[in-house]
């Protein structure tokens, strides 16, 4: 294709990527170098029938002038990245210097907000993603083998979890696991413990979120794999059957290699989606037991007194960096595969 023709096709996409991806990321990175202005306080004497008292209040006019002069905030450099709310370099050094064993180190690090959110985010990503791929593939293979008359209803019910909004779905499951819900009451009856609650234990809360993540995302993997199964060469499958290959051998040596590019695609989408988990934490009211990087951003932006834009921006940049690190192995594998075929 001539260069001019290629550029004519590609420049609208490049322009959109610059406007809606590159510039916002640069803006967030710039904002992460600044923090909120310190409040300018004024003292005023207030007198009443019983005497006079000194009252301290915020000078709103001076604060407004300061914000107009420095709209981004007070320059802090990389200090936001290294403070106690983020990477906490000083706190980590102190923990390793004063802790007696690995268990104490782990517990103290888990009390740091950024690392608590990071550990849950990574656990959610690396547990839910492979389970979604496996479950979606199994459902696709099963649905592909059932009679044609039953495929329509089965596919419809298989897609229902994906049709439900994540926040609504998490709220529904939240009330189902409540002591008054069908799952919560059923577990209490099954174990004979009226005080049993899936919400009370951090471990059970994590497991519940993992189960919900698999339930909600598996239909996406199912749709992709089911579409891919329709393109598997039938002559290859028939040749394998003639050669005496069992059903499992046909799946292992014919279907799985053929669908591997789709599995890579699903893995990429799920890694990006799971790393930014947010809605289930809100729906389950699980912030006390499980927080994610996206939840930290949300928490900073809804601060009661004033939004912490610098802190939220720093967490956003660290989240973007984490997504890039997660995607690098998959992208590298795709690049090698592309070069091999070329």
């Amino acid at each position: 294709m001539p260069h001019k023709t290629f550029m004519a096709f590609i420049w609208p996409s490049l322009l959109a990527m610059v406007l809606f991806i590159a510039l916002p990321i640069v803006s967030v990175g710039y904002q992460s170098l600044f923090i909120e202005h310190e409040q300018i306080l004024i003292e005023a004497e207030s007198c009443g029938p019983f005497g006079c008292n000194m009252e301290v209040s915020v000078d709103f006019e001076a604060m407004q002038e300061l914000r107009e002069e420095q709209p981004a905030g007070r320059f802090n450099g990389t200090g936001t990245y290294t403070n106690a709310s983020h990477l906490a370099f000083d706190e980590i050094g102190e923990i390793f210097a004063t802790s007696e064993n690995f268990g104490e180190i782990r517990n103290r690090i888990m009390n740091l907000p950024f690392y608590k959110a990071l550990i849950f985010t990574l656990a959610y990503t690396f547990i839910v993603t492979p389970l979604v791929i496996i479950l979606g593939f199994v459902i696709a293979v099963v649905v592909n083998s059932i009679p044609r008359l039953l495929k329509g209803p089965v596919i419809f019910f298989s897609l229902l979890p994906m049709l439900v909004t994540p926040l609504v779905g998490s709220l529904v499951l939240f009330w189902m696991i409540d002591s008054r819900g069908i799952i919560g009451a059923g577990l209490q009856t099954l174990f004979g413990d009226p005080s049993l609650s899936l919400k009370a234990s951090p471990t059970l809360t994590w497991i519940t979120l993992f189960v919900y993540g698999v339930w909600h995302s598996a239909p996406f993997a199912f749709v992709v794999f089911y579409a891919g199964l329709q393109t598997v060469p039938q002559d290859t499958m028939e040749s394998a059957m003639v050669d005496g290959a069992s059903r499992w051998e046909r799946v292992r040596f014919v279907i799985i290699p053929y669908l591997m590019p789709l599995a890579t695609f699903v893995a990429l989408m799920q890694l990006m989606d799971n790393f930014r988990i947010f809605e289930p934490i809100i729906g389950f009211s699980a912030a006390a037991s499980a927080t994610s990087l996206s939840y930290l951003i949300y928490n900073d932006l809804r601060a009661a007194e004033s939004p912490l834009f610098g802190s939220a921006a720093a967490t956003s940049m660290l989240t973007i960096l984490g997504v890039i690190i997660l995607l690098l192995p998959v992208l590298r594998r795709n690049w090698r595969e592309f070069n091999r075929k070329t």
Side-chain angles (χ1 to χ4, degrees):
M1 180 182 296
H3 292 298
K4 290 184 179 180
T5 306
F6 175 76
M7 290 304 300
F9 275 103
I10 202 66
W11 78 262
S13 299
L14 291 177
L15 180 61
M17 292 176 65
V18 170
L19 291 178
F20 300 110
I21 299 178
L23 289 181
I25 291 177
V26 171
S27 175
V28 171
Y30 177 77
Q31 181 63 55
S32 68
L33 303 178
F34 295 83
I35 58 176
E36 293 67 30
H37 292 291
E38 293 182 349
Q39 293 186 339
I40 301 176
L41 304 178
I42 55 175
E43 292 185 359
E45 186 176 23
S46 176
C47 296
F50 302 102
C52 296
N53 296 317
M54 295 298 296
E55 294 184 352
V56 179
S57 60
V58 179
D59 190 340
F60 292 101
E61 294 183 0
M63 290 296 299
Q64 183 63 29
E65 293 179 359
L66 184 59
R67 292 192 183 99
E68 292 177 356
E69 294 176 359
Q70 301 176 345
R74 179 162 51 93
F75 184 76
N76 192 41
T78 59
T80 307
Y81 290 91
T82 60
N83 65 11
S85 298
H86 294 87
L87 297 179
F89 287 160
D90 294 337
E91 288 74 12
I92 291 293
E94 181 182 354
I95 288 174
F96 277 96
T98 58
S99 299
E100 297 181 356
N101 52 61
F102 175 77
E104 184 179 355
I105 293 175
R106 179 197 59 198
N107 293 335
R108 293 177 65 180
I109 290 179
M110 281 290 291
N111 289 328
L112 298 173
F114 178 80
Y115 290 98
K116 179 181 179 181
L118 179 62
I119 291 172
F120 173 77
T121 302
L122 291 175
Y124 184 90
T125 301
F126 288 112
I127 291 176
V128 171
T129 300
L131 291 178
V132 165
I133 294 174
I134 295 172
L135 182 60
F137 175 76
V138 171
I139 295 175
V141 172
V142 172
V143 172
N144 192 55
S145 63
I146 64 177
R148 185 180 298 272
L149 183 64
L150 300 176
K151 283 187 179 181
V154 173
I155 292 175
F156 172 76
F157 285 107
S158 299
L159 295 178
L160 283 180
M162 190 173 63
L163 301 179
V164 179
T165 304
L167 183 57
V168 175
S170 60
L171 284 171
V172 171
L173 188 56
F174 175 78
W175 286 112
M176 290 178 67
I177 65 174
D178 188 78
S179 59
R180 295 166 291 178
I182 182 172
I183 297 178
L187 290 175
Q188 290 179 353
T189 303
L190 180 64
F191 291 98
D193 184 2
S195 63
L196 179 64
S197 174
L198 293 176
K199 304 176 184 178
S201 169
T203 302
L204 292 178
T205 300
W206 282 38
I207 294 175
T208 304
L209 290 172
F210 295 160
V211 171
Y212 170 79
V214 175
W215 173 81
H216 182 265
S217 300
F220 170 75
F222 156 68
V223 170
V224 175
F225 288 130
Y226 183 75
L229 285 173
Q230 309 313 306
T231 65
V232 175
Q234 291 302 312
D235 54 348
T236 305
M237 294 291 293
E238 293 173 358
S239 299
M241 295 175 64
V242 170
D243 292 337
S246 64
R247 182 176 182 82
W248 164 243
E249 289 173 337
R250 295 196 300 270
V251 171
R252 179 182 177 185
F253 296 108
V254 179
I255 294 178
I256 291 180
Y258 187 82
L259 297 183
M260 191 56 65
L262 292 179
T264 303
F265 166 74
V266 174
L268 281 171
M269 298 300 295
Q270 287 299 307
L271 283 173
M272 292 187 291
D273 194 46
N274 293 332
F275 198 79
R276 57 181 180 83
I277 172 180
F278 171 69
E279 293 93 341
I281 296 177
I282 298 295
F284 281 98
S285 300
S289 302
T291 58
S292 66
L293 297 178
S294 297
Y295 183 84
L296 290 184
I297 299 172
Y298 164 78
N299 202 42
D300 287 336
L301 294 178
R302 71 179 184 99
E305 297 182 358
S306 61
L308 303 177
F309 294 111
S311 178
T315 306
S316 300
M317 294 304 297
L318 292 172
T319 302
I320 293 172
L321 179 62
V323 172
I324 293 174
I325 293 174
L326 284 178
L327 296 183
L328 276 178
V330 183
L331 295 176
R332 185 179 180 184
R333 179 183 179 278
N334 280 355
W335 180 254
R336 287 182 174 178
E337 185 69 16
F338 174 79
N339 288 337
R340 185 184 64 82
K341 292 181 178 179
T342 303

